[in-house]
């Protein structure tokens, strides 16, 4: 271990974070590519071999955040479903929905380089159902409705051309926070 530690300490410090997979293959400009990658690894049934491990870790990290009132039961994990581009009753498509039967759901809007489309997050909140997955919002307790706006760190607070999500129900989460988790 001492030898390994000495060799590890000889490695140079990185001046900036390493490139992401999407940056390496020059596909980092498209929100859909980030969406596919992120939710692929959160989906327990995909071929990545992680099962529920990453999904459980992400849900636990969300539950630990002080700015969210999100909680879930580990007993829910076997029933948790992840679906991208879910049609709502008003015809809009949030980037993803993660839900556990009629106990709770999370509605995700991801941003990379674009602002929110007109009334986009408000329409997701106002929709009566997540029709694409057959989930009526009235069947889910009000405290089980959760909305996340995943965007570059500080994009909506420091950049003059970017803005926070229109719907106040959406909680901003940074890509950096996700990466750190």
């Amino acid at each position: 271990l001492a030898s390994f530690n000495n060799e590890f300490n000889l490695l140079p410090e990185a001046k900036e974070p390493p490139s992401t997979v999407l940056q390496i293959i020059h596909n980092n400009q498209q929100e859909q590519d980030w969406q596919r990658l992120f939710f692929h690894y959160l989906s327990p049934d995909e071929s990545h071999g992680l099962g529920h491990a990453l999904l459980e870790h992400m849900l636990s990290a969300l539950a630990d955040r002080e700015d969210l009132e999100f909680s879930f039961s580990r007993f829910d994990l076997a029933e948790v479903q992840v679906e991208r581009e879910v049609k709502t009753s008003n015809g809009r498509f949030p980037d993803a929905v993660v839900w556990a039967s009629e106990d709770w759901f999370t509605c995700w809007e991801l941003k990379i380089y674009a602002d929110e489309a007109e009334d986009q997050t408000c329409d997701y909140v106002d929709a009566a159902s997540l029709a694409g997955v057959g989930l009526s919002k009235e069947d889910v307790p009000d405290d089980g409705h959760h909305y996340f706006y995943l965007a570059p760190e500080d994009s909506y607070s420091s950049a003059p051309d970017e803005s926070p999500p229109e719907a106040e129900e959406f909680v901003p989460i940074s890509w950096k926070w996700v990466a750190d988790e």
Side-chain angles (χ1 to χ4, degrees), residues 10-84:
L10 293 175
L11 291 174
E13 288 284 326
K15 293 180 182 163
E16 59 185 57
S19 299
T20 66
V21 170
L22 292 174
Q23 287 169 328
I24 292 168
I25 62 173
H26 301 288
N27 259 11
N28 63 321
Q29 304 295 313
Q30 298 296 316
E31 180 182 299
Q32 226 175 19
D33 294 327
W34 288 94
Q35 177 199 93
R36 279 189 208 110
L37 189 63
F38 182 58
F39 290 105
H40 168 81
Y41 285 103
L42 287 184
S43 300
D45 298 331
E46 293 291 345
S47 60
H48 47 63
L50 297 171
H52 291 85
L54 188 60
L55 175 64
E56 179 179 8
H57 182 79
M58 183 56 58
L59 293 175
S60 295
L62 289 166
D64 289 344
R65 286 180 60 124
E66 291 181 14
D67 60 340
L68 298 177
E69 294 182 19
F70 174 75
S71 65
F72 76 103
S73 168
R74 285 181 170 69
F75 296 115
D76 291 340
L77 282 175
E79 294 181 29
V80 173
Q81 298 178 62
V82 178
E83 193 72 39
R84 291 184 304 111

Side-chain angles (χ1 to χ4, degrees), residues 131-148:
V133 294
L135 185 64
S136 175
K137 288 184 178 180
E138 69 181 23
D139 293 337
V140 178
D142 287 343
D143 65 351
H145 298 205
H146 305 283
Y147 301 90
F148 304 135

Side-chain angles (χ1 to χ4, degrees), residues 4 17 19 24 34 38 53 62 94 113 116 143 149-150 168 180:
F4 172 77
S19 299
I24 292 168
W34 288 94
F38 182 58
L62 289 166
Y113 298 107
E116 173 181 350
D143 65 351
Y149 192 81
L150 183 55
E168 58 187 47
D180 289 347

Side-chain angles (χ1 to χ4, degrees), residues 100-117:
S101 60
E102 294 173 350
D103 295 328
W104 55 266
F105 69 84
T106 62
C107 177
W108 294 77
E109 181 57 32
L110 281 59
K111 295 297 177 193
I112 303 299
Y113 298 107
D115 285 335
E116 173 181 350

